[in-house]
Amino acid sequence: MIFKAVGEGRPYPDHGLVTPKQWAEVAPRQVRLDELVTTKGTLNLDNLLSEDSTFYGDLFAHVVQWRGVMYLEDGLHRAVRAALHQRPILHARVLVIETAGREDRTGETTE
């Protein structure tokens, strides 16, 4: 199996990051595909086959970690491409949301 699970929708609370500039504050790192739960059940084939699909967007996928689960919010086509090339790793910006306190962009919780 490529992903941990295929989901539909975002089960985590709104994190407020909308623009590429806001997401750019989150440092990218490697994540394993088999640890990701998708937030989309379908993939637009045009995005998968487009050579310039990241031309206007972020080069990295966007992942939200909430309650110990990593949700692939944006970049499903990048993840599927990695799987098709038999790469188990994806470079992504991982935003950690903690429920006990306020989260910061580094993923550390502050009280």
Side-chain angles (χ1 to χ4, degrees), residues 12-52:
Y12 47 86
D14 183 19
H15 48 68
L17 299 185
V18 180
T19 67
K21 185 177 179 179
Q22 291 171 321
W23 271 101
E25 295 178 15
V26 180
R29 66 181 176 108
Q30 293 183 347
V31 294
R32 292 185 51 83
L33 294 178
D34 61 2
E35 294 177 346
L36 296 174
V37 175
T38 69
T39 59
K40 298 174 186 169
T42 59
L43 172 67
N44 183 338
L45 194 56
D46 288 336
N47 287 347
L48 179 66
L49 300 176
S50 175
E51 290 183 19
D52 64 348

Side-chain angles (χ1 to χ4, degrees), residues 29-105:
R29 66 181 176 108
Q30 293 183 347
V31 294
R32 292 185 51 83
L33 294 178
D34 61 2
E35 294 177 346
L36 296 174
V37 175
T38 69
T39 59
K40 298 174 186 169
T42 59
L43 172 67
N44 183 338
L45 194 56
D46 288 336
N47 287 347
L48 179 66
L49 300 176
S50 175
E51 290 183 19
D52 64 348
S53 64
T54 60
F55 185 74
Y56 295 104
D58 196 343
L59 293 176
F60 302 101
H62 298 166
V63 172
V64 175
Q65 183 175 338
W66 183 59
R67 295 185 175 172
V69 178
M70 297 178 70
Y71 295 95
L72 179 61
E73 181 176 288
D74 183 49
L76 180 58
H77 61 288
R78 291 180 190 89
V80 171
R81 271 195 210 141
L84 289 172
H85 287 97
Q86 299 181 352
R87 293 189 311 255
I89 301 292
L90 177 70
H91 288 84
R93 299 183 189 280
V94 180
L95 176 68
V96 179
I97 299 177
E98 300 291 341
T99 56
R102 180 177 57 87
E103 61 84 23
D104 66 13
R105 299 279 188 300

